[in-house]
Amino acid sequence: GLVFSLCDETEFSSMKTFIVAETNHNCFLPSLVVMVLTDLSDFVLMQYGEADSSPSGIWAEEYPFGFRSAGIQLDVILHKAYSSLYGINLSLQQNYSVPKDLAVPSATHSTLQNKFTPESVKAAAQLYRCIMRAYSGGRRTIPPGALECVLSALPRVKESSRMTAIKKFLFLNEQESPCDPKEADSEILTAASENFEKMPPSFPSWVLQDDTDLSGDAMDSDTDDEAFIVRKGICKYFNEGNLPRLGPNDSSKNEVAEIVTEREEAFKTEKAVHKKFFHIMDALDYEPGSADKWYRAGLCLCLKIDTIMDRLTQLHQGYTAADFYVKKFNSRRERQIYFSKSNASLTPPDFLVQQHNNYFSQAEMSETILGCDLSLYLENQWSSFTCLSNMMSQLSLDNDKPIERNLEGSKGGNVASQYSSWRLIQSKFEAGNNSEWQLILGRMFVMALQVIRERCFHVAYVLSSNHSEHKNESMNPEISESLGTMFYSDISFPVKVLTDVEMRKKARLAQWFFQHALGAVVQDSNNYEDLFEYELLFMIGKCQEKVAKTLRQEKLIIGVSRLYEKAMKGALESYQKSLASAKSHERDGKVIDIQGGGSSHGSLEMLYRLHASRLKVLMSAIRKSEGEREMAEVEALRLTEAYWFERPNEVSEGSEPKDIRDRIWVVLSDIVESMVYCRREQAFFHRSVYRHAQALNWAPLFHDPNGSVEEGSLDSVPAYKSCRLRGLNSDSCARSAEAILSTLFDKKRAQLCAVWVTTPASPSPFEDINDSLRKFDRLRWKYIGSFVDCMRLCRRRALLENFIKWCHASRRDLPSFYFDSAAEEGGAPHELHFRGNLLIEKPGLIYFAIRYANKAVADIICDEVIEYMKNKGIEESERKTSITELLGEAFRCFSRLNCPVDDSFWQCSKCKSKVRSGNISEVEALCNAFRALHDIGSSQAYINSWEEKMLLLRTAVKEASRLFPSYAVGYDCSKRKRKRKVTGHVSINNTSTKHFHKSDDTEEATVSKDIVVKVPKGLAEGELFYAVVKCDDFEREVALRAVGTRKVMFRLDVPKSASSEVKVTLKQN
């Protein structure tokens, strides 16, 4: 080697000018080392390489036997030289170990500030071969920066005609035309399934031919040949890497910092998905017939769809009060009309034709995807407000033109509808309604990505099918399962309102794909270790149940089996087979990934779903009109009596009860026993708790469908029946349900109720759908709504007040954060989630929980006021005292609305309508308590004038503020401006947001400014320090606490007339 005296190695490695040569491209000594050693390496591999190795020659990933020790020394020196030249740090990862006595130079990291790139294609290829040799063991991943350094030296190539055709197929915006209303369901399904058996009509089949020009790389020379091999190898490596995942949030105690970090993480994830997708596309340019690459491209899009969907406001939140308990009604007819609104019956031909007509008419009015090129939705990031704003200019190039421009060359879809959607988005953007604008764009993002994803999965499915020339049979069931999961997920979490026809079509397509995967698994289960028969049967049952849901309106006819019964029977049969298969796997020890609290409970999941569906069948039958109810109940018994949890003794002995009411009660008791069993076997199985409470709430109607009109779920069941229903007391059924459901709210939790998200190592389709944030929020939504309704029915006002405190201490949910953040142009929300006006409808779980619980408290107060007024057996002084206390509680309830009576919101037409109709429970509670206290007419008297109601409300607020000054803290109906509390917050950006206030007569106008102060060194977290804020003649000393970061942000009001900048100095303690 070379020996230098009196000179440091680092000095030589950074020199550009040398004694015998000078270079402006790279440092001399590392370049010299690289040229010498790479030529030596290529010579050894070419002359002595093993011919049977793959790859062979100079591309071999291992030195030949006899030269491996020397090869290690050679490569380590090369690693040091490459580190100095290009700033990449490589480490030896060969399968064989380095001998201890081998002289290997120590690894050092370059300190050069300016890094270089390989000077030629040959140098880039030599670097690539060195990287492949270093990481051929596969125990560590190659640093992405190393391969990107290689790519940067390769010449740019023109996009191949193949890639252009593939991109056009994937990204062309072709809207699907709605089906003919006269076309039968079976014909629609047959046509849809047959379409998946062959390539999409717009797919360019010629790209699969081997003689097509594979890429823009011309191979007329050895150098171009090397560039082609290197580029192909890098594309293959990037394709095979792990798909990007959303990283965990920073575990900071400060909510503002955490949610801003979440937005940044979502942005990084979307960027990584975009980068990964186009890496896969590059690999497809070399192997367009690879089903695996098309499939991975679709999976990549699934990640971006999930990232956006978890942060969007869902169309259906999963809770309907009418499904959980039986409401009170004044008459049987009133209740029957209420049930008939959602359970009307039509004859078989009529209801299908009506559903098809609704689908056809809604398809013309539904939102469409804007733009001609769908790649726009892949290249932009929805989680970045800046990207969305810039995207508007890109969309306007295609849509802000006369409609006639887009009619030319348009392929399918409603161009007028697309133009109308654009005008809606543009109007909201120009009006500054950023929250609604962001929401509409988010749904459009998802719809566009779903189209691209379906095309990728479609091609992958055809390529992997048995009759394809490019078949990959082992992947076909896996792709079929993913297609089934895709269609079922679109039903569970729709991005737009789905008609019954659309839901039925997607459910049947999902069922078809799951059955296709099931056939392959049953035929040869050894080749598909990640696919289980019971999981596929379970999903087939869920698809059949979704189909049955769309057929409930079919009228019952004597002697004719409904389509609903056939679909529901198939669902229950699939659940029963799935349960038997799961138990068999558990006995064999194959089901081991069981995690409590989520959706991974093994055979208990199938057991619960089977009997929860039986309960839904009974509830659907009991809601029918009196003319159809008996036939519906007989149909329900045919379905439910075939699948027992524990076959009753009277059924086993052949002495089955003849009365239909007794038979239904036996089935109901069996269902409740199964729910109790699920909770007993798995303490964290929360869904069975909800179904148990639901069954108890509906027990009065199952006992007597014509009774319990005025009481609803508060009615009781005779003791001879209640004793057979686990958990049901002889008291009110609602109180029994309350005792069951309260176990999910037994203590304060960050997520408010006892439900968790668990992620198995290899999730099934059901687990993949259920282990998402949107499913987690939907479950919490359902449980919180049912808990609040139980507390309201049982008048547990104190528990609801405590629950509201839990909500105030809970973290903001993601849909609410993104909605409020958009109003601040992507910054942190100005107000805490419980400080905003609750009368303004907003998305988000916490908003719903506080608003719903507060309304329930107001309803309880109204009922208690009425009872005190009707009760003539108590002293007048006692009545006055009790009503005065209720007035205070009603005022506190009204104060939580964060909407003082002088707020301009009360003047809007929507609010006026609610006030006149008495739909704001907090207003009714306060006014009724005030009238009852002062004997102003009847507390239930109806006031149809908004002016009179508001005058009464102002008087009640003034009176309550005088009687309960402690409740009035933070609420002042005469002065809206409140002093801000100075607290330490983590700085989220360097720009401050200004908030202007109206000036008072006695005060100078001020403006709020966000001020960032560095925490003095040496302070422990929580210690006090003082800062002096100066601005012209204004000076204020502020006490702050050190937090776990280097900076503290606080907000302070300074004079608006100040001309100089705000200066902050730290005060010495």
Side-chain angles (χ1 to χ4, degrees):
L2 298 175
V3 179
F4 300 94
S5 60
L6 303 178
C7 289
D8 189 3
E9 177 191 81
T10 306
E11 181 180 352
F12 271 106
S13 66
S14 61
M15 290 176 61
K16 288 189 176 182
T17 304
F18 202 62
I19 300 173
V20 295
E22 179 177 342
T23 174
N24 293 323
H25 189 74
N26 287 339
C27 296
F28 179 80
L29 182 59
S31 300
L32 179 63
V33 171
V34 167
M35 286 188 289
V36 172
L37 296 187
T38 50
D39 286 346
L40 176 60
S41 173
D42 291 347
F43 173 78
V44 172
L45 290 171
M46 181 62 69
Q47 297 297 326
Y48 304 103
E50 299 174 1
D52 57 346
S53 65
S54 178
S56 59
I58 60 174
W59 302 98
E61 296 178 351
E62 192 175 25
Y63 284 107
F65 182 78
F67 190 79
R68 290 179 181 172
S69 296
I72 293 175
Q73 291 178 301
L74 188 150
D75 279 348
V76 170
I77 298 174
L78 275 176
H79 295 172
K80 292 186 65 178
Y82 282 137
S83 177
S84 298
L85 283 175
Y86 311 132
I88 57 176
N89 298 310
L90 305 177
S91 57
L92 201 63
Q93 296 295 322
Q94 293 284 10
N95 286 327
Y96 46 84
S97 59
V98 180
K100 294 182 179 180
D101 57 347
L102 189 64
V104 177
S106 59
T108 59
H109 297 284
S110 173
T111 58
L112 286 177
Q113 294 182 354
N114 298 322
K115 304 302 177 183
F116 306 99
T117 57
E119 63 274 10
S120 63
V121 174
K122 180 180 179 181
Q126 290 172 336
L127 172 59
Y128 171 77
R129 291 195 288 268
C130 182
I131 294 172
M132 291 296 106
R133 289 196 301 271
Y135 290 89
S136 62
R139 283 177 284 181
R140 290 188 187 177
T141 57
I142 301 175
L147 295 179
E148 290 173 357
C149 179
V150 176
L151 280 176
S152 65
L154 299 180
R156 288 190 175 185
V157 295
K158 181 181 177 181
E159 185 176 85
S160 67
S161 56
R162 166 181 287 166
M163 181 51 59
T164 302
I166 291 176
K167 286 184 177 180
K168 183 178 179 181
F169 159 70
L170 287 177
F171 300 139
L172 183 63
N173 185 9
E174 288 183 329
Q175 303 293 327
E176 180 182 358
S177 301
C179 61
D180 188 351
K182 299 179 182 179
E183 196 173 6
D185 273 12
S186 58
E187 296 174 355
I188 296 174
L189 176 62
T190 302
S193 58
E194 287 179 353
N195 286 340
F196 276 94
E197 291 291 348
K198 55 187 178 182
M199 285 292 186
S202 59
F203 181 78
S205 301
W206 60 267
V207 301
L208 301 177
Q209 299 174 6
D210 294 335
D211 56 351
T212 307
D213 177 25
L214 294 180
S215 71
D217 284 324
M219 294 185 292
D220 297 333
S221 64
D222 294 338
T223 301
D224 292 331
D225 188 23
E226 281 189 334
F228 175 81
I229 295 174
V230 170
R231 185 175 280 110
K232 182 178 180 180
I234 294 177
C235 288
K236 180 180 178 181
Y237 179 81
F238 279 145
N239 166 70
E240 294 175 348
N242 295 329
L243 297 178
R245 293 285 179 182
L246 185 62
N249 292 336
D250 183 17
S251 58
S252 172
K253 296 181 179 180
N254 186 283
E255 182 180 2
V256 175
E258 185 168 339
I259 57 182
V260 171
T261 302
E262 196 285 329
R263 183 181 270 277
E264 293 173 355
E265 289 294 333
F267 173 76
K268 292 178 182 177
T269 301
E270 289 191 68
K271 288 282 288 184
V273 167
H274 167 255
K275 189 175 181 179
K276 185 68 176 180
F277 180 84
F278 281 99
H279 279 317
I280 298 174
M281 293 291 293
D282 291 338
L284 275 175
D285 197 11
Y286 298 98
E287 297 180 80
S290 171
D292 175 64
K293 292 178 175 58
W294 285 99
Y295 178 55
R296 285 175 61 82
L299 292 179
C300 204
L301 294 171
C302 288
L303 296 174
K304 181 162 184 173
I305 292 173
D306 289 341
T307 301
I308 298 176
M309 285 290 287
D310 285 341
R311 289 150 182 81
L312 280 180
T313 305
Q314 300 301 311
L315 295 177
H316 307 292
Q317 300 299 349
Y319 177 71
T320 305
D323 291 335
F324 179 66
Y325 71 97
V326 183
K327 295 184 177 181
K328 298 180 182 180
F329 296 94
N330 295 324
S331 64
R332 285 168 54 186
R333 178 175 176 77
E334 182 183 349
R335 182 171 71 185
Q336 195 56 54
I337 293 174
Y338 176 78
F339 284 156
S340 299
K341 288 180 180 179
S342 59
N343 211 19
S345 296
L346 298 171
T347 55
D350 293 339
F351 93 95
L352 289 177
V353 171
Q354 182 180 350
Q355 287 182 352
H356 280 270
N357 290 332
N358 291 339
Y359 162 63
F360 190 79
S361 60
Q362 184 168 323
E364 295 180 341
M365 300 182 295
S366 62
E367 295 179 359
T368 56
I369 306 170
L370 299 182
C372 302
D373 187 4
L374 298 183
S375 64
L376 185 69
Y377 299 92
L378 189 60
E379 294 168 353
N380 287 280
Q381 290 74 44
W382 176 82
S383 56
S384 169
F385 189 87
T386 304
C387 283
L388 287 185
S389 301
N390 296 335
M391 186 178 171
M392 289 297 293
S393 59
Q394 297 174 286
L395 285 174
S396 64
L397 296 177
D398 290 332
N399 299 281
D400 198 11
K401 302 291 181 183
I403 296 179
E404 291 77 8
R405 175 189 180 279
N406 282 329
L407 286 173
E408 299 179 0
S410 132
K411 298 182 179 180
N414 192 331
V415 178
S417 176
Q418 186 177 108
Y419 187 79
S420 177
S421 298
W422 160 247
R423 297 305 303 170
L424 174 64
I425 292 177
Q426 189 182 43
S427 63
K428 291 187 178 295
F429 180 71
E430 293 175 351
N433 191 353
N434 295 332
S435 300
E436 291 291 337
W437 164 75
Q438 178 187 251
L439 181 61
I440 296 174
L441 271 182
R443 290 173 180 165
M444 204 166 290
F445 262 81
V446 174
M447 287 191 290
L449 294 171
Q450 286 175 342
V451 171
I452 306 173
R453 177 189 62 178
E454 183 176 334
R455 291 172 182 174
C456 291
F457 280 162
H458 189 164
V459 175
Y461 176 79
V462 175
L463 290 174
S464 64
S465 60
N466 292 332
H467 56 74
S468 173
E469 297 178 0
H470 304 267
K471 64 182 179 180
N472 187 350
E473 297 180 12
S474 62
M475 288 193 61
N476 191 258
E478 184 180 353
I479 297 173
S480 298
E481 183 193 54
S482 294
L483 276 164
T485 305
M486 177 189 75
F487 284 115
Y488 187 86
S489 180
D490 292 347
I491 301 171
S492 301
F493 305 101
V495 73
K496 63 178 182 178
V497 178
L498 296 179
T499 62
D500 288 332
V501 173
E502 289 175 299
M503 184 180 296
R504 191 159 56 244
K505 177 183 175 181
K506 287 180 178 292
R508 284 178 168 165
L509 274 174
Q511 177 186 344
W512 187 79
F513 281 111
F514 285 129
Q515 286 175 335
H516 185 82
L518 177 63
V521 171
V522 171
Q523 185 177 0
D524 188 6
S525 59
N526 295 328
N527 288 338
Y528 311 110
E529 297 179 354
D530 294 334
L531 299 179
F532 293 97
E533 180 183 355
Y534 69 90
E535 293 175 348
L536 296 172
L537 283 168
F538 182 67
M539 291 307 299
I540 290 171
K542 290 183 71 67
C543 294
Q544 292 170 321
E545 189 172 357
K546 290 291 185 184
V547 171
K549 183 180 179 181
T550 66
L551 300 171
R552 287 187 298 188
Q553 289 183 323
E554 182 182 357
K555 190 177 181 64
L556 286 132
I557 301 176
I558 299 176
V560 178
S561 296
R562 293 197 300 167
L563 296 175
Y564 166 79
E565 182 180 2
K566 294 178 182 178
M568 203 67 214
K569 181 179 179 181
L572 295 175
E573 286 179 353
S574 297
Y575 291 147
Q576 182 71 18
K577 293 177 181 178
S578 174
L579 177 61
S581 177
K583 288 183 176 179
S584 175
H585 278 74
E586 286 180 345
R587 285 193 296 268
D588 297 340
K590 296 180 180 179
V591 182
I592 57 176
D593 194 6
I594 297 179
Q595 302 179 13
S599 304
S600 310
H601 298 101
S603 62
L604 278 182
E605 296 288 349
M606 293 74 195
L607 177 70
Y608 162 77
R609 177 47 53 195
L610 172 63
H611 299 292
S613 299
R614 292 172 70 203
L615 177 61
K616 291 181 181 179
V617 170
L618 292 181
M619 290 173 58
S620 177
I622 209 69
R623 295 182 183 186
K624 287 290 183 181
S625 62
E626 294 184 13
E628 291 184 297
R629 185 190 301 140
E630 184 175 354
M631 288 187 292
E633 289 179 332
V634 171
E635 177 190 69
L637 287 173
R638 284 200 301 268
L639 291 169
T640 56
E641 286 183 336
Y643 307 97
W644 295 100
F645 171 65
E646 291 180 353
R647 185 174 293 272
N649 295 331
E650 54 267 31
V651 176
S652 302
E653 296 171 0
S655 57
E656 184 177 350
K658 302 296 182 182
D659 183 65
I660 195 170
R661 301 262 60 82
D662 291 340
R663 291 172 63 187
I664 286 180
W665 198 262
V666 170
V667 173
L668 181 64
S669 302
D670 184 69
I671 293 172
V672 170
E673 286 296 329
S674 67
M675 299 296 112
V676 174
Y677 173 81
C678 290
R679 183 70 171 182
R680 186 173 63 243
E681 288 296 307
Q682 179 54 258
F684 297 104
F685 201 101
H686 44 80
R687 279 166 291 157
S688 63
V689 176
Y690 171 81
R691 293 296 176 193
H692 189 181
Q694 184 184 37
L696 298 185
N697 273 330
W698 280 81
L701 223 60
F702 288 126
H703 166 64
D704 183 9
N706 297 323
S708 307
V709 176
E710 297 182 357
E711 296 296 329
S713 293
L714 287 172
D715 202 0
S716 59
V717 175
Y720 75 93
K721 278 192 172 182
S722 62
C723 66
R724 300 165 61 187
L725 207 62
R726 185 73 70 92
L728 182 61
N729 301 323
S730 56
D731 195 3
S732 167
C733 293
R735 297 188 187 279
S736 301
E738 175 213 352
I740 299 297
L741 196 62
S742 296
T743 57
L744 298 180
F745 298 85
D746 54 343
K747 63 180 180 180
K748 182 178 179 181
R749 293 181 173 89
Q751 71 272 29
L752 298 179
C753 56
V755 56
W756 298 268
V757 173
T758 58
T759 304
S762 180
S764 66
F766 174 68
E767 292 167 340
D768 188 45
I769 294 171
N770 275 19
D771 295 333
S772 60
L773 288 176
R774 55 189 179 277
K775 180 62 176 181
F776 174 65
D777 284 344
R778 178 175 290 187
L779 286 175
R780 293 199 295 161
W781 201 292
K782 179 192 292 187
Y783 298 158
I784 288 171
S786 57
F787 172 74
V788 171
D789 281 332
C790 266
M791 298 300 106
R792 182 178 55 78
L793 290 173
C794 302
R795 297 189 182 178
R796 307 297 191 193
R797 185 154 48 87
L799 291 178
L800 284 174
E801 295 274 3
N802 191 44
F803 177 74
I804 292 175
K805 294 179 181 178
W806 292 1
C807 294
H808 287 174
S810 181
R811 297 288 178 88
R812 188 194 300 264
D813 49 295
L814 288 180
S816 173
F817 163 67
Y818 276 86
F819 189 86
D820 291 339
S821 175
E824 300 294 332
E825 298 185 353
H830 172 54
E831 293 180 321
L832 294 175
H833 55 281
F834 59 88
R835 291 295 186 189
N837 188 346
L838 291 183
L839 292 179
I840 300 176
E841 295 182 2
K842 293 182 180 180
L845 172 70
I846 304 301
Y847 165 81
F848 161 77
I850 297 175
R851 182 73 184 92
Y852 203 55
N854 200 54
K855 183 179 183 299
V857 172
D859 290 337
I860 295 173
I861 293 174
C862 286
D863 293 340
E864 291 179 353
V865 168
I866 294 171
E867 284 191 1
Y868 275 117
M869 294 303 296
K870 289 182 177 180
N871 191 351
K872 304 298 182 182
I874 60 176
E875 296 290 337
E876 186 64 23
S877 59
E878 183 181 350
R879 179 186 289 115
K880 288 286 185 181
T881 302
S882 300
I883 293 179
T884 302
E885 292 177 358
L886 289 176
L887 177 66
E889 294 300 322
F891 177 58
R892 185 161 62 175
C893 192
F894 177 80
S895 300
R896 278 194 291 265
L897 292 177
N898 300 318
C899 187
V901 290
D902 62 344
D903 196 295
S904 60
F905 179 78
W906 298 100
Q907 307 289 334
C908 68
S909 58
K910 188 175 182 180
C911 185
K912 284 184 177 181
S913 176
K914 289 184 177 181
V915 170
R916 281 195 301 266
S917 58
N919 288 336
I920 303 179
S921 300
E922 294 84 353
V923 172
E924 297 302 307
L926 187 57
C927 292
N928 289 350
F930 177 76
R931 286 193 292 179
L933 182 63
H934 294 281
D935 293 327
I936 305 176
S938 172
S939 60
Q940 295 176 276
Y942 180 72
I943 301 176
N944 58 2
S945 170
W946 174 81
E947 290 78 7
E948 292 180 12
K949 180 67 73 68
M950 288 303 298
L951 179 60
L952 178 62
L953 178 61
R954 290 175 182 274
T955 308
V957 168
K958 185 176 181 180
E959 176 74 6
S961 301
R962 183 183 62 82
L963 293 175
F964 304 95
S966 61
Y967 294 173
V969 174
Y971 176 87
D972 188 351
C973 61
S974 61
K975 186 178 178 181
R976 293 188 56 193
K977 182 180 176 182
R978 295 191 293 267
K979 184 177 179 181
R980 297 184 182 275
K981 183 179 179 182
V982 180
T983 55
H985 292 289
V986 177
S987 176
I988 57 174
N989 51 37
N990 295 326
T991 61
S992 61
T993 304
K994 298 181 179 180
H995 305 278
F996 295 91
H997 300 271
K998 296 180 180 179
S999 59
D1000 296 329
D1001 295 335
T1002 58
E1003 295 181 2
E1004 183 182 1
T1006 60
V1007 60
S1008 295
K1009 290 200 173 184
D1010 293 338
I1011 303 173
V1012 180
V1013 179
K1014 290 185 178 181
V1015 177
K1017 294 183 179 180
L1019 287 183
E1021 186 172 356
E1023 287 189 20
L1024 279 174
F1025 67 98
Y1026 297 87
V1028 179
V1029 181
K1030 293 182 180 181
C1031 184
D1032 289 347
D1033 296 332
F1034 175 85
E1035 182 174 340
R1036 179 72 55 84
E1037 181 178 318
V1038 182
L1040 302 169
R1041 287 190 182 274
V1043 293
T1045 56
R1046 298 179 180 179
K1047 296 180 181 180
V1048 170
M1049 185 182 75
F1050 63 95
R1051 181 170 292 158
L1052 188 65
D1053 290 344
V1054 300
K1056 189 176 181 180
S1057 59
S1059 58
S1060 61
E1061 295 182 355
V1062 177
K1063 296 182 179 180
V1064 183
T1065 57
L1066 296 179
K1067 182 179 178 181
Q1068 299 296 329
N1069 293 334

